[in-house]
Amino acid sequence: MIVVTAEITEQFSLTLGGRYQRETREQTRSTVNLLNSEGGLTTLISYAPQKATEKNFSPKVSLDFRLVDDVLIYTSWGKGFKSHTYNIINIYTPPDFVEPEELTSIELGIKSTLFGNTLRVNGAIFENKTKNLQSSFISLLAGGAVRLENAGEARGRGAEIDVLWVPMPDMNPGLALTLGAAYLDAIYTSFKDGSGFDDEPTALYPNGTGLQQGGQDFSGNRVTRTPEWTGNLGLSQTVDTRWGPLEFGVDAYYNDGFYFLPQNGELSWEGDYLLVGARLGYALEDWGLRLAVYGANLTDERYNIAQFHTDFGRNDTQAPPRTFGARINWDF
């Protein structure tokens, strides 16, 4: 990987970078065996080894313009790469090849520190396009393991902003407010042979979770785990004491919901949730000690951090409920 930055003028700088990689992945042996009564294995099916080598060069270009000393405007364009792999747990078919991802991104943003370092505002608008996006699902034909398949293309457009404000630098320099928000419109622009589960119950699958492996068109659906709106808000107060700083803080995070599966069905929808937390910390600087007590998810919001879909139903992994704890850090 090489990165070079050139100062064109006092206000302009140009950065050029690139990364080259060559990766070989090999599947050396794949068999389906039967355990016999004597404890030995009888090979029923043996698949031929597979091997693939992928080469990629990912360039990046960025241009910075310093409007004034404390305001920087930048734009960047670059490419990224995620290597190929194999779905190795197959029972009736040979391990199949999963194409590498190729990402192209463009971004325009601003970074600023204003009013005597009391206000920091950073923001950006961006677009990402991904070719052969690797998407996962659970397959009983692969022993209940996670399998990957390639979406044709996906696109994400959005904007984000984060703010740090010290509103009373003279009267109360330890008071700080933080604010962040992000908007993301991420869809599969082409995903015409996807695998998913039926939302509608049938006689064979009364829970409405019968697997449809391949053949579904998810084009236009939202990309998994990509909420449209997220935001955070925080307040902290630090007070200097004889032995070290005492800090109190509260924060909140909002997520407006997302899908766990690319089919975007009701069974895979995770609704919006709001998390509130608080903390109280004290630093004994002479001793290198930091003591803290905290509370997380104080409103006891119930939401899932993962879902496991199979033909027999859906298993949810819930996020931790209301939680209280304490931490001690000692640097020596």
Side-chain angles (χ1 to χ4, degrees):
M1 181 175 181
I2 299 176
V3 178
V4 178
T5 300
E7 301 290 339
I8 300 175
T9 68
E10 292 184 357
Q11 287 78 32
F12 282 98
S13 64
L14 174 67
T15 299
L16 301 175
R19 176 181 179 178
Y20 174 80
Q21 67 184 78
R22 181 181 185 273
E23 186 169 347
T24 299
R25 293 197 175 190
E26 183 176 5
Q27 168 258 315
T28 58
R29 185 170 66 93
S30 178
T31 60
V32 178
N33 301 319
L34 178 65
L35 181 65
N36 56 47
S37 60
E38 298 177 355
L41 294 177
T42 300
T43 299
L44 301 179
I45 306 174
S46 181
Y47 297 112
Q50 299 185 55
K51 183 178 180 179
T53 299
E54 295 289 339
K55 302 176 184 179
N56 176 263
F57 176 70
S58 299
K60 182 176 182 179
V61 181
S62 65
L63 181 64
D64 297 342
F65 172 62
R66 192 166 295 280
L67 187 63
V68 293
D69 288 343
D70 297 327
V71 178
L72 175 72
I73 299 174
Y74 68 91
T75 183
S76 66
W77 173 92
K79 289 195 171 187
F81 178 81
K82 182 177 180 181
S83 186
H84 63 290
T85 187
Y86 291 94
N87 287 316
I88 60 173
I89 306 178
N90 280 20
I91 297 177
Y92 303 109
T93 59
D96 51 305
F97 183 72
V98 181
E99 298 282 350
E101 285 185 8
E102 298 179 10
L103 171 70
T104 302
S105 64
I106 185 169
E107 182 174 341
L108 173 65
I110 183 172
K111 297 182 179 181
S112 62
T113 304
L114 308 171
F115 306 117
N117 295 328
T118 63
L119 178 64
R120 185 187 69 197
V121 180
N122 299 332
I125 56 176
F126 56 86
E127 179 179 83
N128 300 322
K129 292 183 178 180
T130 307
K131 182 180 178 181
N132 294 326
L133 176 66
Q134 295 175 3
S135 179
S136 64
F137 70 100
I138 307 296
S139 172
L140 293 181
L141 297 178
V146 174
R147 290 178 53 82
L148 295 174
E149 59 186 13
N150 292 110
E153 291 184 354
R155 182 264 296 156
R157 294 172 179 164
E160 58 186 4
I161 185 172
D162 67 82
V163 178
L164 172 63
W165 181 35
V166 180
M168 296 183 288
D170 298 324
M171 298 178 57
N172 187 3
L175 178 64
L177 301 173
T178 58
L179 169 68
Y183 168 76
L184 179 60
D185 177 25
I187 64 170
Y188 298 104
T189 52
S190 177
F191 196 171
K192 295 184 178 181
D193 192 22
S195 299
F197 293 86
D198 287 330
D199 280 346
E200 298 296 328
T202 64
L204 184 60
Y205 301 107
N207 293 324
T209 56
L211 174 65
Q212 297 181 19
Q213 188 159 332
Q216 299 187 69
D217 189 354
F218 300 146
S219 303
N221 287 2
R222 284 170 58 175
V223 176
T224 59
R225 296 178 178 269
T226 56
E228 189 175 20
W229 290 98
T230 56
N232 62 81
L233 180 66
L235 181 148
S236 64
Q237 175 67 64
T238 302
V239 178
D240 291 328
T241 70
R242 177 181 178 182
W243 300 101
L246 174 68
E247 181 193 11
F248 170 75
V250 294
D251 55 77
Y253 168 78
Y254 174 72
N255 186 311
D256 80 334
F258 55 88
Y259 291 99
F260 280 104
L261 296 178
Q263 70 191 72
N264 287 190
E266 183 179 350
L267 286 173
S268 68
W269 171 250
E270 181 63 39
D272 66 316
Y273 55 88
L274 175 67
L275 305 179
V276 179
R279 65 190 182 279
L280 177 64
Y282 188 55
L284 300 172
E285 295 179 328
D286 292 341
W287 296 354
L289 282 175
R290 291 184 176 273
L291 314 174
V293 293
Y294 65 90
N297 193 9
L298 295 179
T299 58
D300 202 25
E301 191 85 1
R302 300 303 173 95
Y303 65 101
N304 297 319
I305 58 174
Q307 289 182 358
F308 185 83
H309 290 258
T310 72
D311 292 286
F312 304 106
R314 189 188 86 183
N315 179 63
D316 295 338
T317 301
Q318 285 197 336
R322 182 186 296 116
T323 305
F324 298 98
R327 289 191 296 264
I328 299 178
N329 296 331
W330 184 21
D331 296 327
F332 58 93

